[in-house]
Amino acid sequence: ALQEKDFIGRSQEQANLTKRVLQADSGQAQSVVLSGQHGIGKTELLKHLFGRLFWKQDRVAPFWYTVNPALLSVTAFSKNYLVRFICQRLAFTKKDQSFFYHDGISIDGLSTLVEEREAFWAKEILDQYLQCSGDPVDALRIALAAPHRSMLSTGIPVAVLIDDFHWIKGLHIGGVPDHRLASLFQEPMAHGKTPHVISGNMAELQEIPVVSGLERIQVHPLGPEAISSMVLSLLNAHEAEGIVPPLLIRQLGGNPYYLGCIVTRACEKNNPGEKYF
């Protein structure tokens, strides 16, 4: 994620999301989907939410997951999802981010790791996952339920933050995508102590029934003051000076990604010239 000083104009959104997620402590949190145009800052908002939850409180454990379109077979997805969750959950317990780098660990290696850490709740989940590994759908159910099962065992709720969720439409067994597999997220999302915060391509997310029923949180364009601060921050990062023409700012519609691309391109030493720019 961007450093907080460079993540401009989102303090209210961050505060609101954090407050919502921490309601999981009392079992009252609800799953939501972040809505907004491409580049408006949904992914960065999720990243900062994860950072806040990981470092600045101990009531709700955060789990960050980005859906990888290269891992959409049910077998590959369930293993990757489960391994990442357990590693991040162990990291939260010790506030030790070195656990993040165990993402590629095998199930056997992870089993050894959780035994060393005496994380008996994780061992139970892994044992059940291994017992059901012959049935891809059952294995997927166990992986998706892991945050809730960990909560039942440890008493600590889990906030599940998933980016690029639209790729879930491609989950498949044997190479044939089955849109019904995405419905397996419905039960985990319904628990008040395991709220899910979903982000991705909004047009495609609307086609996924399990998402279409969630409350939407709109991520709005940046306002004039935030845009000005962001321009100064970007220019300082490039050791450059100048302004972005107001007409161009209006044309970009307060989109931080587009603005960042423009300023970065303008600051390049080998800029091909004003006409191209």
Side-chain angles (χ1 to χ4, degrees):
L2 294 168
Q3 294 184 23
E4 285 204 18
K5 68 180 180 64
D6 297 319
F7 190 53
I8 295 165
R10 297 297 187 204
S11 57
Q12 192 60 52
E13 286 97 332
Q14 286 191 78
N16 291 342
L17 269 179
T18 303
K19 182 179 179 180
R20 277 176 168 270
V21 164
L22 291 181
Q23 289 177 340
D25 202 18
S26 60
Q28 301 300 312
Q30 294 184 333
S31 295
V32 296
V33 56
L34 299 183
S35 177
Q37 62 174 287
H38 171 70
I40 210 67
K42 303 184 294 295
T43 297
E44 285 296 334
L45 191 54
L46 273 186
K47 288 180 180 179
H48 278 270
L49 176 60
F50 177 85
R52 278 189 167 199
L53 295 173
F54 188 88
W55 293 113
K56 297 183 178 182
Q57 58 84 51
D58 57 9
R59 293 159 49 193
V60 177
F63 169 41
W64 166 274
Y65 190 80
T66 300
V67 180
N68 184 344
L71 296 174
L72 289 179
S73 77
V74 168
T75 299
F77 178 87
S78 60
K79 174 183 178 293
N80 187 256
Y81 191 89
L82 182 61
V83 168
R84 284 177 179 266
F85 168 68
I86 291 177
C87 286
Q88 290 184 35
R89 184 64 184 79
L90 293 174
F92 179 74
T93 299
K94 301 291 185 180
K95 298 296 188 204
D96 182 356
Q97 59 186 350
S98 67
F99 283 95
F100 295 159
Y101 305 106
H102 288 291
D103 279 354
I105 196 170
S106 67
I107 293 293
D108 288 341
L110 184 57
S111 296
T112 301
L113 187 64
V114 300
E115 286 179 6
E116 291 173 353
R117 299 300 185 276
E118 297 184 346
F120 301 115
W121 61 268
K123 187 176 186 309
E124 290 179 2
I125 294 172
L126 283 171
D127 287 346
Q128 188 178 7
Y129 176 81
L130 288 170
Q131 290 170 9
C132 296
S133 59
D135 186 325
V137 175
D138 280 350
L140 178 59
R141 285 195 178 96
I142 291 166
L144 298 183
H148 185 247
R149 295 236 359 232
S150 78
M151 182 278 300
L152 294 175
S153 297
T154 66
I156 298 177
V158 179
V160 182
L161 317 177
I162 306 182
D163 194 26
D164 286 343
F165 191 80
H166 57 276
W167 291 114
I168 285 294
K169 293 193 306 178
L171 276 176
H172 64 83
I173 298 174
V176 180
D178 186 344
H179 294 181
R180 294 172 297 179
L181 292 169
S183 67
L184 296 179
F185 277 90
Q186 185 163 359
E187 184 175 349
M189 287 181 181
H191 294 299
K193 290 199 170 187
T194 55
H196 289 53
V197 183
I198 303 299
S199 182
N201 182 297
M202 202 60 219
E204 295 187 58
L205 286 177
Q206 290 173 341
E207 300 173 6
I208 305 175
V210 74
V211 176
S212 62
L214 298 180
E215 179 186 351
R216 290 190 193 180
I217 295 180
Q218 188 71 31
V219 181
H220 296 284
L222 296 179
E225 290 186 11
I227 285 289
S228 297
S229 297
M230 184 179 173
V231 168
L232 288 174
S233 176
L234 290 167
L235 290 173
N236 287 335
H238 289 281
E239 299 181 348
E241 297 179 355
I243 61 170
V244 177
L247 177 61
L248 180 57
I249 289 179
R250 288 198 298 272
Q251 193 74 16
L252 297 176
N255 186 304
Y257 174 71
Y258 297 157
L259 182 66
C261 289
I262 291 289
V263 174
T264 299
R265 189 73 182 98
C267 291
E268 288 181 357
K269 292 180 180 179
N270 297 322
N271 195 303
E274 182 177 347
K275 182 178 179 180
Y276 179 85
F277 176 65

